[in-house]
Amino acid sequence: MNKLLVITVFAALLAINVEGFRVSRQVVEEEEQGTLTKMTNAFRSYYENAVNTASGYLDSIKGLKLEEKAKNMYEETTKVMSTYTGIVQDQLYHIFYQEQ
């Protein structure tokens, strides 16, 4: 459940921030960096930003106590459904087994 939540939050993060995601400008050092180094640094920067943002979203979600709310909703739904299932069962019984 937790892995699914992390993946969902991460996918939502990427979907929301993909247009606004820009490479941060770095101060050019005296030595020129190689292409591989630039790509590696950019990938690390993207990864760290994504992980930090996803962690922030997870912390805010945990603050909402969604697991507890989902559990309560499930319990209430099962109570209501058991009541209505009993009513339907009783009606079907009286339809098929009418007094003779």
Side-chain angles (χ1 to χ4, degrees):
M1 173 87 180
N2 290 336
K3 290 180 183 179
L4 180 61
L5 181 63
V6 170
I7 291 170
T8 304
V9 169
F10 186 67
L13 163 75
L14 290 177
I16 292 170
N17 293 327
V18 82
E19 291 182 17
F21 223 39
R22 296 183 181 175
V23 179
S24 59
R25 296 183 180 201
Q26 299 175 353
V27 178
V28 179
E29 299 175 2
E30 292 178 10
E31 300 176 12
E32 189 169 326
Q33 297 177 344
T35 305
L36 183 60
T37 306
K38 288 180 183 178
M39 289 175 56
T40 305
N41 290 341
F43 179 75
R44 284 182 184 161
S45 172
Y46 288 144
Y47 179 76
E48 288 174 3
N49 286 339
V51 168
N52 290 338
T53 307
S55 297
Y57 286 152
L58 282 175
D59 291 339
S60 66
I61 287 172
K62 286 180 182 177
L64 297 176
K65 298 181 181 180
L66 292 178
E67 292 177 7
E68 183 180 332
K69 290 178 183 177
K71 181 180 175 183
N72 291 340
M73 185 184 301
Y74 173 76
E75 289 174 355
E76 291 172 5
T77 304
T78 54
K79 287 178 187 177
V80 169
M81 288 305 295
S82 65
T83 302
Y84 286 116
T85 303
I87 293 170
V88 169
Q89 182 181 5
D90 186 49
Q91 293 297 319
L92 290 174
Y93 177 80
H94 288 292
I95 288 172
F96 290 119
Y97 298 106
Q98 293 178 357
E99 290 184 28
Q100 296 177 356

